[in-house]
Amino acid sequence: MPPRLVGRQGSLSGQQFPIGAAPLTLGRNSENSVVIGGANVSRFHAEVRREGHGFVLYDSGSSNGTRVNGQRVTSHELQPGDLIEIGTETFCFEAADALETILDLSVLRPLTPSDATVAAGPVLNVTVSGGGPVGLAFALLLEHLMGRRVAVTVYDGRWTRDGAKVVWKSEGQGNVRRQQVVTVQSRQYLNLPEEVQERLFRGDAYTEMWPVGPDSIHGREPRNLRIAYIEDTLLEMANEKPGRIRLVPEVFDPAEYQKAGGKDDVLAICEGGRSRTREHFADKFGQADKSIYSLHGQHIQDVVLGLRVKSTLTDPMTVLLTVAQNRFLLNSLRGQGFLNMRLTDAEAAEVVGIDPVRHVFEDCIASRPCVMGRDDHGDFQCATHSTLFLPAMVRGSALWKRVLEGLALFGVAERDLSAVTAFRLDMVQRPRFTTRLFPATSTTPGTYGFLLGDAANAIHFWPGRGLNSGLGSAISLARSLNGAWNGRPFRDADFSRHEAAMSMLQYRHKSRAWNAMITTDEDGVSRPIKEKIAQSIEDAEGKDLDRDADLDAFMERLRGIRDRLAARVAGMPDDSTLRSHLENLRSDTLRTLLDSGAWDTLIVGGEEVDIDIFYRQDPGPPPGPLPAKTSTPA
């Protein structure tokens, strides 16, 4: 088969245009070899000529230009996998079959043996809706596994183009970056390509504040990284692979995608818990079930206030204080991160912004991704909606006093609270994660759709497993696609292992998360933890509390947790340090922390979902001596 241009995006997607001795011309005029419609296309826009042993693309002086791999060119010597953009059409330059490629190496860039083997193979066309950590990690892993056998297009409306690169929009462009810190388990990061691991874990970009636990493999500790840093690094790496990963800085439109009629082999939906694409295809994936995460007929939801802070405490002390109660959780990188506060229903109703001009209340802060940063006057202002965080302005409000107590618990001065946000967390049971969106026809391959990340399983943040579940789902799907792809339409049976892995991830992580949302009272009745906190606040109001007894009881709990963790976390604080620190808290705060209960890590610990058991490929242990593996829960 001769070298050719293959339509990848637009009305000519899937069509092939061989390149022979005569130039291959592209443009709006009907006399062109490739006729392209559209106002942005010139009558004779560009052409591809054979020169010597290679092929050169020339722009014919068009007014709107020709791009190769995202960069505008006037001429360009084509390499296999180059993506050519003219108007709304995208073409991929593909070389000759394997025999011709081997005999005429001067036509191509130098190939590795694996490249020469797969260069002529059928290409798997994958579209990813959502370019967050899960979507980008999936694209990079798939490219790593399949090489030239795959072409990935990733859409995200939070991106913009900066010259030849695609970058994240700034806050001034309407994109509030997520600065939260996440804990990535070694079970997940060791299954990412080595080049991804090397780029993520550079210098001081991460910390290892949590001990080796049940989700650790090869003795490697969990690692804390900032979400924005993960997003920046993965997007930077995707930009470096323009021949195989195409980045589109636009919101994915599922309706337009459906009109196109399924020209891709795969649509991976990675848009997060409120995915528009998933809802568009809800009849394909099935209705989610809320009842399994409901009590007494009511769907349980938690509202969390996120406080961007800088703590002065050591990592061992913050770990100890976090695990000892269910009111606050600090996830940080060298003390800087988000202090998350579980709210009662009454407190959640107070989380509103106020328009200082119109004097009306807005719920913008409760609508993601609204973040209110501290302005020059010390107020917390939403840059998007120009509203102010009301509880902080009413200094006597009960909610703000409790916020300040949370800061005191984790050694945060009020001046080191720089922003507030809020988010609502709930869970549902999904019936399936894999479905055939479009059947195969004589001209289309048929498209399978997949839910990944929070689009598949939005998980309560308290167990800290959301991104890990998302990475696990991306690893599973990438391996399934790599193993099943042979150029023919997929079948349901090709994804039985992936669907099983997704179901296990859902059960394991959501059962863990459910135990972080509910508790059992002395009568054996299940109730939400937020209600227990609310009851404690109500019972303590106006009462003369036995502060010494509460302090002794909380210290006893801290000692028990410290004894479990001391062998795995060096530098745990002693009794006098803990007691003097807790003396700074109000009596009602101390009572609420005590009543909220400790993290039930014995229940949420245990066997983890091992994606490797479903697939033959195992990354194996990393080189060098490793410490002994332990499965003791935190």
Side-chain angles (χ1 to χ4, degrees):
M1 184 180 292
R4 56 204 175 273
L5 297 186
V6 179
R8 284 289 169 79
Q9 190 77 21
S11 62
L12 300 178
S13 180
Q15 298 189 38
Q16 299 187 13
F17 305 96
I19 307 170
L24 179 78
T25 60
L26 305 94
R28 199 172 68 245
N29 190 283
S30 60
E31 297 179 4
N32 285 287
S33 313
V34 183
V35 179
I36 306 174
N40 293 331
V41 181
S42 300
R43 292 174 64 250
F44 296 96
H45 196 102
E47 65 180 18
V48 178
R49 301 177 191 166
R50 180 160 191 156
E51 294 188 357
H53 294 291
F55 296 89
V56 181
L57 170 72
Y58 290 95
D59 182 86
S60 303
S62 63
S63 56
N64 290 292
T66 301
R67 291 182 178 272
V68 177
N69 302 329
Q71 187 168 3
R72 187 164 177 168
V73 299
T74 55
S75 66
H76 177 83
E77 184 173 352
L78 292 171
Q79 307 293 338
D82 278 348
L83 294 178
I84 303 165
E85 298 176 52
I86 298 176
T88 59
E89 302 290 333
T90 300
F91 305 91
C92 181
F93 174 66
E94 294 188 359
D97 60 28
L99 180 60
E100 184 176 346
T101 296
I102 294 170
L103 293 177
D104 192 9
L105 291 178
S106 60
V107 174
L108 310 176
R109 66 165 177 78
L111 296 178
T112 65
S114 60
D115 284 335
T117 303
V118 303
V123 175
L124 175 69
N125 292 303
V126 177
T127 289
V128 180
S129 62
V134 173
L136 288 170
F138 169 67
L140 289 165
L141 181 57
L142 196 59
E143 186 274 338
H144 170 77
L145 293 174
M146 298 187 67
R148 295 186 177 280
R149 295 188 298 142
V150 70
V152 185
T153 301
V154 188
Y155 286 81
D156 202 302
R158 298 170 295 174
W159 297 339
T160 187
R161 193 174 292 281
D162 181 13
K165 294 178 61 178
V166 170
V167 298
W168 290 93
K169 290 179 179 177
S170 65
E171 187 170 330
Q173 294 169 305
N175 180 34
V176 179
R177 299 298 305 281
R178 295 182 294 172
Q179 298 300 325
Q180 286 90 334
V181 174
V182 292
T183 303
V184 184
Q185 301 292 333
S186 57
R187 185 180 298 278
Q188 311 308 333
Y189 67 69
L190 288 177
N191 276 317
L192 296 175
E194 287 186 10
E195 63 172 338
V196 174
Q197 295 181 50
E198 290 171 0
R199 293 280 282 273
L200 282 177
F201 304 129
R202 290 183 295 186
D204 61 352
Y206 69 98
T207 60
E208 294 178 336
M209 63 180 286
W210 293 96
V212 168
D215 219 7
S216 302
I217 60 175
H218 306 314
R220 297 295 180 86
E221 292 179 283
R223 291 178 171 178
N224 274 18
L225 299 100
R226 208 170 298 282
I227 294 179
Y229 168 77
I230 298 174
E231 292 174 335
D232 286 339
T233 303
L234 298 183
L235 184 58
E236 179 182 323
M237 295 187 70
N239 271 291
E240 296 167 4
K241 302 177 184 292
R244 299 174 192 173
I245 299 177
R246 178 171 174 255
L247 304 172
V248 182
E250 299 174 7
V251 175
F252 180 76
D253 189 335
E256 288 298 319
Y257 187 81
Q258 187 165 15
K259 288 179 184 177
K263 294 182 179 180
D264 285 332
D265 301 286
V266 169
L267 173 62
I269 302 170
C270 311
E271 296 169 334
R274 290 170 173 78
S275 168
R276 292 171 57 248
T277 303
R278 183 194 61 212
E279 298 312 309
H280 181 85
F281 292 111
D283 59 327
K284 301 287 187 179
F285 289 103
Q287 283 299 118
D289 179 16
K290 297 179 180 179
S291 63
I292 194 171
Y293 300 109
S294 301
L295 287 179
H296 316 300
Q298 182 178 1
H299 190 204
I300 302 301
Q301 295 180 325
D302 267 344
V303 177
V304 175
L305 192 65
L307 309 164
R308 191 163 69 201
V309 300
K310 181 178 181 181
S311 171
T312 59
L313 301 184
T314 64
D315 284 350
M317 189 159 181
T318 61
V319 168
L320 181 56
L321 292 174
T322 294
V323 175
Q325 43 78 45
N326 268 290
R327 175 66 151 164
F328 299 95
L329 180 151
L330 177 65
N331 233 358
S332 64
L333 188 67
R334 295 180 184 82
Q336 297 190 49
F338 269 77
L339 175 59
N340 295 309
M341 176 181 181
R342 191 196 308 257
L343 301 180
T344 67
D345 288 341
E347 290 171 337
E350 295 184 47
V351 178
V352 295
I354 184 170
D355 188 314
V357 177
R358 296 184 296 131
H359 300 288
V360 296
F361 299 117
E362 302 281 357
D363 64 354
C364 65
I365 187 170
S367 304
R368 293 188 304 175
C370 179
V371 176
M372 292 184 163
R374 191 188 289 270
D375 62 19
D376 294 337
H377 303 288
D379 296 321
F380 297 93
Q381 184 176 51
C382 172
T384 304
H385 305 98
S386 299
T387 54
L388 302 177
F389 186 50
L390 184 60
M393 299 182 69
V394 183
R395 306 295 290 183
S397 74
L399 174 58
W400 190 247
K401 289 179 179 178
R402 294 171 195 148
V403 167
L404 297 180
E405 285 290 283
L407 301 184
L409 174 64
F410 283 93
V412 178
E414 187 176 353
R415 65 178 179 276
D416 289 330
L417 168 60
S418 57
V420 295
T421 187
F423 42 96
R424 187 176 303 274
L425 295 159
D426 55 40
M427 297 187 298
V428 296
Q429 190 84 354
R430 299 217 168 271
R432 62 184 307 174
F433 307 94
T434 305
T435 189
R436 182 158 52 184
L437 298 178
F438 309 113
T441 69
S442 59
T443 58
T444 60
T447 303
Y448 268 80
F450 302 90
L451 301 178
L452 300 181
D454 283 350
N457 282 318
I459 301 197
H460 196 283
F461 82 97
W462 224 261
R465 290 298 190 273
L467 179 58
N468 291 277
S469 176
L471 291 176
S473 65
I475 293 163
S476 175
L477 180 56
R479 291 182 178 182
S480 279
L481 292 172
N482 180 46
W485 176 244
N486 58 14
R488 296 192 291 271
F490 287 124
R491 307 162 299 164
D492 288 357
D494 292 325
F495 304 109
S496 57
R497 290 182 297 177
H498 173 67
E499 189 72 13
M502 293 297 295
S503 296
M504 287 183 66
L505 284 168
Q506 174 169 246
Y507 174 77
R508 181 67 188 101
H509 290 303
K510 287 190 175 178
S511 63
R512 184 203 309 264
W514 182 240
N515 286 318
M517 295 179 73
I518 65 166
T519 187
T520 303
D521 64 19
E522 58 274 9
D523 298 320
V525 178
S526 295
R527 59 187 298 202
I529 289 176
K530 63 180 180 180
E531 289 187 4
K532 194 170 184 179
I533 293 173
Q535 187 66 51
S536 176
I537 292 172
E538 181 180 342
D539 291 346
E541 190 171 359
K543 301 287 181 61
D544 185 14
L545 302 175
D546 189 340
R547 179 183 178 84
D548 290 338
D550 287 345
L551 184 55
D552 287 342
F554 198 58
M555 282 294 302
E556 185 63 27
R557 179 187 296 172
L558 288 167
R559 278 191 288 268
I561 297 170
R562 186 181 59 193
D563 290 344
R564 292 206 317 268
L565 292 177
R568 295 182 288 150
V569 181
M572 280 288 182
D574 58 22
D575 281 11
S576 61
T577 301
L578 285 170
R579 182 174 284 273
S580 63
H581 180 70
L582 296 175
E583 287 285 2
N584 297 318
L585 300 178
R586 295 189 331 220
S587 296
D588 58 339
T589 300
L590 196 58
R591 173 64 61 85
T592 299
L593 296 178
L594 189 62
D595 289 344
S596 71
W599 279 32
D600 201 341
T601 56
L602 295 177
I603 289 180
V604 303
E607 186 176 357
E608 299 297 335
V609 179
D610 183 4
I611 297 298
D612 289 338
I613 68 173
F614 293 99
Y615 303 93
R616 293 180 181 176
Q617 291 183 339
D618 188 318
L626 297 168
K629 180 178 179 181
T630 177
S631 60
T632 308

